[in-house]
Amino acid sequence: MTVFIVLGKQLKLLREKAGLSQREFADLMGYGPDLISAIERGVRTPRPEFLRKADEILKADGLFTSVIPQVEEAMSRARTRHPEWYRSYAAMEAEAVELHVSAIQSIPGLLQIEEHARVVFAKRRPFLSEETIEKRVADRLSRQQVFERWPPPVVSYVLEEAVLDRPIGGRRVHADQLRHLLRISSMQNVEIQVMPTRLEEHPSLGSAFNLLVPKGHGQVAYLEAQGFPQLITDREEVRKIADRYGIMRAVALGPGQSRSLIAEKLEDL
């Protein structure tokens, strides 16, 4: 049993002893209940600032802060959990100061809740083993710690409206996923915009892409099609993709309108 599974069990025990539900504890901590659930099950590594705050709120007398050195060591090794071909990008993403994502067919991994991610991997062809599915889910959730960094990165998304209508995992999971999008979109450093299906013209009907600015480096682009990744560092090619993304943001719904649309789709479920 890893230290994080034990830590998760201790967190759950002290939370319940304090008479707090996961949602109530999440509200006090300033995080979402999905994160609390993942940490309590040991599938997500809690960041040092999370442990310090949990120690204070649950009056743990140093139980959580004492493991911060192990947590920091685990975070430094986190990039080795990803497939070899993905590691260079995952390492840059983890330290990016800016991250901008165009999503055409699915909710981006950094925005997926655990149950949504599990269905995505479980239905992938060829089939993955249960062990591989759990590892992929844990890896995906661990990447989401980018939202918890301080100072936080500047993050933006342009999501095709069709992505919001695809009920991956069924009605309940889909509803939870839409609620999660609303939570993430309320973060000060995150903007989510929706590209309406009704538009008669579209500036980018090619593949999805990511743009990111690694700490201390220039902007790069990342593309992936059918499992074949491509990291683009050529300045002129990156500029073209960035220009295309800027036009997409200009014609998509604004962040406020996008939140309203997501909320309407949630109400209609």
Side-chain angles (χ1 to χ4, degrees):
M1 183 177 294
T2 69
V3 64
F4 298 114
I5 293 177
V6 174
L7 187 63
K9 290 181 179 296
Q10 292 172 333
L11 180 68
K12 181 179 180 181
L13 179 65
L14 288 179
R15 173 182 61 77
E16 291 177 341
K17 185 177 180 180
L20 297 170
S21 67
Q22 284 186 341
R23 185 171 296 278
E24 289 169 336
F25 181 55
D27 290 341
L28 290 173
M29 290 286 293
Y31 296 94
D34 295 316
L35 173 67
I36 304 302
S37 174
I39 290 176
E40 288 187 348
R41 288 179 289 108
V43 299
R44 186 152 173 193
T45 305
R47 294 181 65 85
E49 53 267 31
F50 177 97
L51 293 170
R52 293 188 186 98
K53 195 166 185 179
D55 204 280
E56 178 183 350
I57 290 175
L58 297 177
K59 296 179 173 57
D61 296 326
L63 176 65
F64 298 131
T65 55
S66 65
V67 298
I68 287 178
Q70 291 96 314
V71 169
E72 291 175 333
E73 180 182 355
M75 290 172 63
S76 70
R77 299 195 311 263
R79 64 181 181 272
T80 64
R81 298 178 55 177
H82 301 288
E84 184 175 354
W85 57 264
Y86 190 77
R87 288 175 189 168
S88 60
Y89 173 79
M92 286 189 294
E93 180 187 77
E95 297 184 352
V97 295
E98 291 186 29
L99 177 62
H100 308 288
V101 180
S102 162
I104 305 295
Q105 294 181 325
S106 61
I107 299 291
L110 286 180
L111 297 179
Q112 291 178 9
I113 62 172
E114 181 180 349
E115 291 174 292
H116 181 111
R118 182 168 285 104
V119 172
V120 169
F121 288 121
K123 296 301 180 181
R124 179 168 293 182
R125 300 298 192 275
F127 289 115
L128 302 174
S129 68
E130 287 297 323
E131 180 181 0
T132 300
I133 291 171
E134 290 305 313
K135 182 180 183 299
R136 295 282 179 89
V137 170
D139 291 347
R140 179 153 293 180
L141 293 177
S142 73
R143 287 175 51 217
Q144 295 175 6
Q145 293 180 111
V146 68
F147 290 117
E148 302 156 24
R149 280 201 348 243
W150 188 262
V154 175
V155 182
S156 73
Y157 288 90
V158 175
L159 309 180
E160 291 295 325
E161 183 177 359
V163 167
L164 304 176
D165 294 326
R166 185 168 293 122
I168 300 296
R171 182 179 179 277
R172 182 187 62 79
V173 173
H174 187 52
D176 286 344
Q177 178 64 70
L178 293 181
R179 292 189 189 97
H180 183 65
L181 292 180
L182 290 174
R183 284 196 296 271
I184 294 293
S185 68
S186 68
M187 298 177 69
Q188 186 179 27
N189 62 308
V190 180
E191 290 188 343
I192 294 179
Q193 295 179 250
V194 177
M195 184 70 76
T197 304
R198 67 173 184 272
L199 289 183
E200 297 180 358
E201 297 180 352
H202 196 300
S204 181
L205 290 173
S207 63
F209 58 82
N210 296 1
L211 287 162
L212 71 158
V213 180
K215 186 176 181 179
H217 297 279
Q219 189 173 53
V220 300
Y222 174 81
L223 314 176
E224 183 183 336
Q226 297 298 318
F228 292 92
Q230 183 179 10
L231 185 64
I232 300 174
T233 58
D234 181 84
R235 290 185 179 181
E236 179 59 17
E237 293 304 316
V238 173
R239 185 197 64 78
K240 292 176 183 178
I241 296 173
D243 180 62
R244 191 178 308 139
Y245 186 70
I247 298 172
M248 291 173 67
R249 295 196 69 181
V251 300
L253 297 178
Q257 293 174 304
S258 298
R259 282 180 55 84
S260 296
L261 180 60
I262 295 171
E264 289 175 9
K265 291 181 180 295
L266 180 58
E267 291 177 1
D268 290 341
L269 287 179

